[in-house]
Amino acid sequence: MNVLFVCSRNQWRSPTAEQVWRRHPLLNVRSGGTSPSARHTVSVDDIGWADVVIVMEQKHKSRLVADFGDLLADRPVHVLDIPDEYKYLDPELVELLEQSVGRLLKIE
């Protein structure tokens, strides 16, 4: 399963999610940001590659739908509701991502 993790600047939350889940045998993962100043801005190729898109906040989903609505029509976009208050690999963020993504995708 190809999973795209998205936050605003692709600096802390989505790269942490990518790092946490990158070794899972059932997943291929990438991360990106919705901001033009993101380390990696989400592209048409990223959306086309993804089977599932997981965003940190509702505003990320809204931005993706505005930018890639047609491409997203046939794939789920899930909102984790994780606020922008964590640094890269923050232990609390890692725990949140392990629990929420595992439950969401029905994997452990």
Side-chain angles (χ1 to χ4, degrees), residues 10-25:
N10 189 225
Q11 186 174 0
W12 295 330
R13 293 173 290 173
S14 60
T16 296
E18 181 179 11
Q19 184 68 24
V20 166
W21 288 99
R22 69 182 212 153
R23 288 197 172 93
H24 194 285

Side-chain angles (χ1 to χ4, degrees), residues 2-75:
N2 295 336
V3 181
L4 176 64
F5 294 103
V6 179
C7 64
S8 296
R9 293 180 48 223
N10 189 225
Q11 186 174 0
W12 295 330
R13 293 173 290 173
S14 60
T16 296
E18 181 179 11
Q19 184 68 24
V20 166
W21 288 99
R22 69 182 212 153
R23 288 197 172 93
H24 194 285
L26 299 177
L27 303 180
N28 298 306
V29 297
R30 289 185 187 175
S31 67
T34 57
S35 169
S37 65
R39 281 187 329 118
H40 171 76
T41 303
V42 174
S43 68
V44 168
D45 288 341
D46 293 323
I47 300 296
W49 170 86
D51 297 312
V52 177
V53 179
I54 299 177
V55 302
M56 301 299 148
E57 298 177 65
Q58 180 61 44
K59 68 180 180 179
H60 304 130
K61 180 177 181 176
S62 298
R63 173 65 73 106
L64 291 178
V65 168
D67 291 348
F68 306 105
D70 291 345
L71 285 173
L72 289 169
D74 64 342
R75 67 202 70 211

Side-chain angles (χ1 to χ4, degrees), residues 1 21 24 27 54 78-80 82 95-108:
M1 179 183 326
W21 288 99
H24 194 285
L27 303 180
I54 299 177
H78 301 284
V79 181
L80 296 181
I82 296 177
E95 186 174 331
L96 281 170
L97 290 165
E98 287 174 344
Q99 292 174 358
S100 60
V101 173
R103 188 168 40 251
L104 184 68
L105 298 178
K106 296 176 177 54
I107 57 174
E108 297 303 324

